Amino acid sequence: MSGRPLVGNDWSVLNGTWPDDPPRVSVVVAHYEQADDLRRTLTALRSQTYPRELVEIVVVDDGSATAPEVPDDVVLVRQADEGFRLAAARNRGAEAASGDILCFLDADCAPEPGYLAELTRLPALSSDVVTVGRRRHADLSALPPDAPLDRLPDEVLFDDPSWLANAYERSGNLFHADARSYRYLIGATLCCSADFFRETGGFDESFTEYGGEDWDWAWRCWMHGALFAHVPTAIAWHNGPDAGGRERDPAAVNAETRRMERYIPIAGSRPHALLIGADGDVGAGATDGAGAGTGAVGDVAVRLSVALTSTQAIITADSILRHLPTARVFVGDSRAFDGMADPRIVAGEPPADVPYRIDVLAPVRIETDAPVRSLLEGVGVGADGSVRIADVDGPLLDLTSARVLARTRRWGDTSFTARTLAATGVARRLRSPEPSLAAYYGDWD
């Protein structure tokens, strides 16, 4: 990775800064049976303010009946028509690209002249920033391909989707991003460094229906420690209204939501307590905690890092799962839980790709009203890379996230700081090897 490491999601320190040497940019344009739209988008890419000799255009055709016509200096990649394979098309384009920065456009999204310069600035300065442009909407069908996109007549304009505009306004253009901000990265106007794209593994080619492949990739970007930024000055015009403004079958919309449950295992994107199997089935038994094979997908890995009596282990695990019902508890010796049949108790070490992690450093009982979820979800969002819960006798719990661990591996300890929080109101140490289960079960202690 290259450029300047940043703290948390704070890209504001780069405001007003531009690369001394603009990098080579590859624009990957996904196309399917959109000849007129593609002609307009290629014309718009020829009109960019970014140095033309540093722009490579790669058109990826997803199986159109007739190959699209492109100029000789445009790279054309084609794949067979095997259904909706936008994720695969974008990956093929990235593989064919030679630029240091990748910009993804759909053929029906024509960029204004300053688009590339604005959208590539942050990824060029810090290589794990992922930017998303502003996709606006208009009826472009009656306009000539070279119509000036920054001066479109009012009568062809559609309203911007309010849900997206409101999200950008609330978050300060994603400056205040969190784990749920993946929803606001739209695949038609994405940009990142080529190195970071390769690190994420690219788009998941198992997506063969409309929708979701961009959210899945954006979520994995966050897990890999990406910083998110919306660039409202990078405008691309979509020919037609936003999909959210069209009439859609509610059952189809719900099916999309169900499909994403196993890809993005965090609160707000999945059931609050039901277990989701890696294959999407509710109630699949947990075998590995990470979603591999038939295991259930968990959003929190709890590691019991200290020797506990059976009673201490039961109270510790149960009091954590009370707050975090979709967590998995990883134990070195499962005999402490003999007689329990909870599939969330897993023998072995937690996998690295679980979003959040709690290391239990002492026998504890989590308080009934403890803000465990909010503390955990705050790790890696701002400057906190870990939160240690401690009492006068020492540490009880360490909270961190996969996002923090990824950024730490990339940049060292420069991205986050550690914070220690008093245990009062959060957790109490179990001082007896045999605390009263009756008192714990009955909530009178």
Side-chain angles (χ1 to χ4, degrees):
M1 304 302 283
S2 60
R4 177 177 174 179
L6 303 174
V7 176
N9 198 62
D10 186 3
W11 38 260
S12 68
V13 295
L14 299 177
N15 286 349
T17 303
W18 292 83
D20 293 331
D21 298 306
R24 181 170 170 79
V25 174
S26 293
V27 186
V28 176
V29 182
H31 169 269
Y32 177 74
E33 303 288 6
Q34 299 159 295
D36 291 341
D37 286 331
L38 179 62
R39 192 175 301 111
R40 180 181 298 104
T41 294
L42 293 180
T43 299
L45 287 171
R46 297 293 190 196
S47 304
Q48 293 294 298
T49 60
Y50 202 86
R52 186 164 178 172
E53 67 275 12
L54 295 177
V55 178
E56 174 187 55
I57 303 171
V58 180
V59 172
V60 187
D61 179 63
D62 187 19
S64 297
T66 302
E69 296 182 4
V70 300
D72 291 341
D73 60 346
V74 171
V75 178
L76 176 62
V77 178
R78 299 197 73 202
Q79 62 184 19
D81 185 6
E82 297 176 4
F84 185 89
R85 295 199 295 149
L86 180 56
R90 288 177 178 151
N91 285 345
R92 298 295 84 75
E95 291 167 2
S98 62
D100 300 308
I101 303 294
L102 298 176
C103 289
F104 294 95
L105 273 173
D106 289 350
D108 57 2
C109 292
E112 290 191 4
Y115 181 84
L116 291 182
E118 296 288 340
L119 196 63
T120 62
R121 183 183 69 86
L122 285 172
L125 293 170
S126 189
S127 54
D128 54 0
V129 179
V130 176
T131 54
V132 58
R134 182 184 178 189
R135 183 174 64 174
R136 301 195 66 188
H137 301 268
D139 181 3
L140 304 176
S141 57
L143 301 177
D146 58 351
L149 295 167
D150 52 353
R151 298 191 301 276
L152 292 176
D154 290 344
E155 58 266 23
V156 305
L157 304 185
F158 295 111
D159 291 336
D160 284 357
S162 58
W163 69 273
L164 195 55
N166 291 341
Y168 292 147
E169 182 177 4
R170 287 193 310 270
S171 65
N173 287 320
L174 299 182
F175 180 75
H176 302 292
D178 59 25
R180 297 179 185 84
S181 298
Y182 69 84
R183 307 168 188 264
Y184 312 125
L185 271 69
I186 306 303
T189 57
L190 288 175
C191 176
C192 67
S193 71
D195 284 344
F196 188 75
F197 183 79
R198 285 189 287 268
E199 183 179 315
T200 66
F203 292 93
D204 186 338
E205 296 183 18
S206 69
F207 282 87
T208 55
E209 300 176 63
Y210 174 81
E213 83 292 330
D214 47 1
W215 284 9
D216 166 72
W217 181 73
W219 159 249
R220 286 186 285 111
C221 288
W222 181 261
M223 289 275 286
H224 278 80
L227 288 81
F228 291 167
H230 172 237
V231 185
T233 51
I235 299 171
W237 287 92
H238 177 264
N239 187 14
D242 176 59
R246 305 172 202 155
E247 288 292 331
R248 299 190 63 202
D249 179 8
V253 175
N254 284 334
E256 286 182 22
T257 302
R258 288 299 320 276
R259 192 164 65 242
M260 298 306 296
E261 290 169 352
R262 65 188 186 275
Y263 291 100
I264 305 176
I266 58 167
S269 303
R270 60 176 297 164
H272 297 285
L274 288 173
L275 302 184
I276 302 297
D279 57 1
D281 292 337
V282 175
T287 58
D288 61 8
T294 59
V297 181
D299 59 343
V300 183
V302 180
R303 182 173 179 267
L304 301 188
S305 306
V306 63
L308 304 175
T309 67
S310 178
T311 302
Q312 288 173 334
I314 289 169
I315 293 175
T316 298
D318 186 72
S319 65
I320 292 174
L321 290 170
R322 184 178 191 175
H323 288 276
L324 306 170
T326 54
R328 303 292 175 271
V329 178
F330 292 84
V331 299
D333 185 353
S334 60
R335 289 176 297 179
F337 295 92
D338 282 351
M340 299 288 176
D342 195 316
R344 295 170 296 180
I345 305 299
V346 184
E349 290 293 316
D353 59 350
V354 178
Y356 302 105
R357 178 166 176 154
I358 298 177
D359 281 298
V360 177
L361 308 175
V364 295
R365 171 181 173 174
I366 308 300
E367 301 289 9
T368 304
D369 297 324
V372 178
R373 173 66 70 178
S374 61
L375 286 173
L376 197 58
E377 293 183 353
V379 174
V381 173
D384 287 341
S386 65
V387 173
R388 168 163 285 184
I389 310 299
D391 63 10
V392 294
D393 293 323
L396 300 175
L397 305 166
D398 276 343
L399 283 57
T400 190
S401 69
R403 167 179 166 75
V404 168
L405 298 177
R407 286 186 66 76
T408 300
R409 286 192 299 270
R410 184 176 304 124
W411 300 110
D413 294 331
T414 58
S415 296
F416 297 101
T417 58
R419 180 164 66 105
T420 298
L421 184 67
T424 305
V426 179
R428 74 179 85 160
R429 186 183 298 266
L430 298 175
R431 300 187 180 278
S432 167
E434 288 297 331
S436 171
L437 280 174
Y440 169 71
Y441 289 166
D443 276 329
W444 63 67
D445 179 20

